[in-house]
Amino acid sequence: MSEQLTHERVLGHPARLRLNRLPDCLGGPAEEATKGDWTYVEFLDRLLGAEIAARAERDAAMKTKLAHFPFVKTPEQFDFAYQPSVGERQVKELATLRFVAEAENLLILGPPGTGKTHLAIALGVRAISQGVSVYFVTVSDLLEMLRRDAKEDRLAHRLQALCRPKLLILDEMGSFPPDRLAAQFLFQPVSRRYEQASLIVTSNTSYGDWGDVLADPVLASAILDRLLHHSTTLNIRGQSYRLREKKKAGVFHDLTEPKEE
Ligand code: ADP
Ligand code: MG
């Protein structure tokens, strides 16, 4: 009877301590501990380890949802042989996330289909696995959002929210019609995050052309200045990965790459 009560209490305590995974894990390790002659410390280590792993998994699932990635990719899924201008060692170094710890920025430039968004997301996914909060948005969606917020008098609130994630990914910089307001809107999150939290910006236009699309050379250079001050640039020069399958199927052969295959 008293053993029964102890068992009930042991199952009740985790709920009070919000150790939600622990009751599920109790049975297996308890049996293994008896069979395997574990020490009490080993048993406790195993139980608490399972609780911590479950929490980390839940946290990553929540952060992934909040990040709004359009798709999920990892650095391992990137084919470096196909894109030799991207150094595998450099991506591995970026995947250590030192740049996020130091609130530095990463700019990924290159033609369409060369894996800019893939790499940005892959680093975002890696960041989440390290407990870092991430938010992904295309620059045109962000501008749309900020424009709406400005009309509805919610701009301050949005700008504050954009400062919260430790890593903000701005995808497709420059892929929108030239707009003077864009520079004013973009300057805010970039300058507020400057030296405080990291940005990854992808673009298929070179820095020199950002002035044209932002239609305000002074603000464009103020934005670039802050983005580039503590930053790394990955310059991808190569063929679109999207065309690879099509090329294999024989479409595009002469048009895009006369010398190959
Ligand atoms: P970009 O953002 O440069 O236009 P994406 O990152 O969207 O290109 O890549 C287009 C598609 O091709 C995605 O599905 C991406 O995962 C894939 N892809 C691009 N480059 C590579 C690569 N080197 N290895 C594996 N997949 C790649
Ligand atoms: Mg892209």
Side-chain angles (χ1 to χ4, degrees):
M1 178 67 183
S2 94
E3 215 174 85
Q4 163 98 26
L5 280 177
T6 309
H7 191 252
E8 274 173 23
R9 237 189 1 257
V10 166
L11 289 180
H13 287 334
R16 295 177 71 183
L17 291 169
R18 295 181 201 281
L19 301 170
N20 301 326
R21 183 67 200 272
L22 215 124
D24 296 339
C25 303
L26 198 58
E31 248 175 59
E32 278 182 64
T34 316
K35 280 189 208 145
D37 213 11
W38 294 1
T39 63
Y40 296 120
V41 173
E42 279 170 338
F43 175 65
L44 196 60
D45 178 45
R46 180 73 168 267
L47 270 193
L48 295 179
E51 178 69 36
I52 285 170
R55 274 190 194 191
E57 209 177 289
R58 266 203 315 271
D59 181 63
M62 176 58 76
K63 284 195 164 78
T64 304
K65 210 168 148 192
L66 292 174
H68 289 89
F69 296 129
F71 52 85
V72 170
K73 291 283 175 177
T74 63
E76 291 73 27
Q77 287 171 301
F78 194 82
D79 179 357
F80 290 92
Y82 186 78
Q83 216 59 271
S85 63
V86 181
E88 188 166 359
R89 191 143 47 97
Q90 190 177 15
V91 172
K92 275 190 179 152
E93 155 65 23
L94 289 165
T96 65
L97 302 170
R98 191 166 54 87
F99 78 103
V100 174
E102 294 178 2
E104 295 185 357
N105 299 328
L106 170 65
L107 290 104
I108 308 178
L109 306 180
T114 51
K116 300 181 299 296
T117 305
H118 180 134
L119 286 172
I121 290 175
L123 292 170
V125 166
R126 186 54 54 83
I128 285 177
S129 74
Q130 305 287 313
V132 170
S133 50
V134 179
Y135 184 60
F136 176 104
V137 66
T138 64
V139 177
S140 41
D141 283 353
L142 176 68
L143 290 173
E144 182 64 40
M145 234 189 256
L146 293 173
R147 233 175 246 124
R148 218 177 319 123
D149 291 334
K151 265 192 213 143
E152 293 168 14
D153 209 14
R154 279 186 304 156
L155 199 54
H157 188 256
R158 175 78 68 185
L159 289 170
Q160 221 174 2
L162 286 169
C163 289
R164 249 175 254 137
K166 284 284 287 174
L167 174 61
L168 177 63
I169 301 174
L170 300 182
D171 198 31
E172 296 178 12
M173 171 69 183
S175 307
F176 46 85
D179 179 356
R180 199 156 198 284
L181 271 179
Q184 290 176 21
F185 281 137
L186 276 180
F187 178 73
Q188 288 292 335
V190 170
S191 66
R192 285 182 191 214
R193 292 179 66 90
Y194 174 62
E195 294 186 333
Q196 304 297 319
S198 294
L199 278 159
I200 295 180
V201 180
T202 79
S203 181
N204 59 33
T205 49
S206 62
Y207 301 140
D209 297 332
W210 290 12
D212 297 339
V213 81
L214 294 172
D216 184 328
V218 176
L219 266 183
S221 84
I223 290 172
L224 258 179
D225 207 45
R226 282 160 183 77
L227 277 179
L228 295 180
H229 186 196
H230 309 288
S231 71
T232 302
T233 299
L234 269 185
N235 235 318
I236 311 182
R237 291 170 303 273
Q239 297 285 327
S240 164
Y241 197 83
R242 288 191 192 104
L243 297 183
R244 196 180 77 140
E245 296 302 315
K246 294 202 168 93
K247 265 189 214 158
K248 275 188 182 163
V251 198
F252 291 114
H253 45 278
D254 287 284
L255 282 172
T256 52
E257 213 177 37
K259 286 182 219 119
E260 214 187 70
E261 288 169 5

